[in-house]
Amino acid sequence: TIVFNEMNEEMASLILSKKIEELSKMLSDRSVEIEVLPEAFKQMLDEGFSKEYGAREIDRLITHSLKPLLVNEILFGKLRKGGKAQVCIDNKALKINVVKSA
């Protein structure tokens, strides 16, 4: 028998940090660096974690909310040749601000 303890927000925060780090490593191949601002991290944590489902929604949130913004900037925007982007919040939605383009 395997017993799972209830996940808390601290554990979910560690999972979110790990997922962002994994995304950062993938983006580094395209010479893109991201910085997730604290308010964006908090909102992602709030949306991606619940007592009922744990951190299961974090992957979905990154896949459906964050990655499309980054892909758009990398393919059609200021990050085509690389650069640095900040993930922030605008009207309760994730937003990408390019702070340096290559």
Side-chain angles (χ1 to χ4, degrees), residues 5-71:
N5 294 325
E6 186 175 287
M7 179 174 287
N8 61 27
E9 191 169 326
E10 182 181 339
M11 289 176 9
S13 178
L14 293 171
I15 291 170
L16 178 56
S17 295
K18 182 178 184 232
K19 297 292 183 180
I20 291 170
E21 183 62 32
E22 289 172 358
L23 178 61
S24 293
K25 286 180 183 177
M26 289 187 334
L27 291 170
S28 68
D29 292 341
R30 311 264 305 161
S31 300
V32 173
E33 179 185 344
I34 63 167
E35 173 188 7
V36 179
L37 297 180
E39 64 270 12
F41 187 90
K42 175 73 171 122
Q43 180 160 323
M44 291 173 70
L45 186 60
D46 290 345
E47 290 180 25
F49 167 71
S50 69
K51 294 265 185 203
E52 185 178 357
Y53 297 110
R56 289 183 184 99
E57 294 297 312
I58 289 175
D59 276 329
R60 187 173 294 128
L61 177 69
I62 289 172
T63 300
H64 296 297
S65 297
L66 182 55
K67 282 184 180 179
L69 297 172
L70 290 165
V71 167

Side-chain angles (χ1 to χ4, degrees), residues 47-99:
E47 290 180 25
F49 167 71
S50 69
K51 294 265 185 203
E52 185 178 357
Y53 297 110
R56 289 183 184 99
E57 294 297 312
I58 289 175
D59 276 329
R60 187 173 294 128
L61 177 69
I62 289 172
T63 300
H64 296 297
S65 297
L66 182 55
K67 282 184 180 179
L69 297 172
L70 290 165
V71 167
N72 190 47
E73 282 295 334
I74 290 169
L75 293 178
F76 310 111
K78 297 177 183 176
L79 294 175
R80 282 181 298 223
K81 296 180 181 177
K84 181 177 180 178
Q86 288 180 329
V87 181
C88 59
I89 298 296
D90 185 31
N91 289 329
K92 296 187 178 185
L94 294 177
K95 181 182 174 189
I96 300 293
N97 283 332
V98 178
V99 293

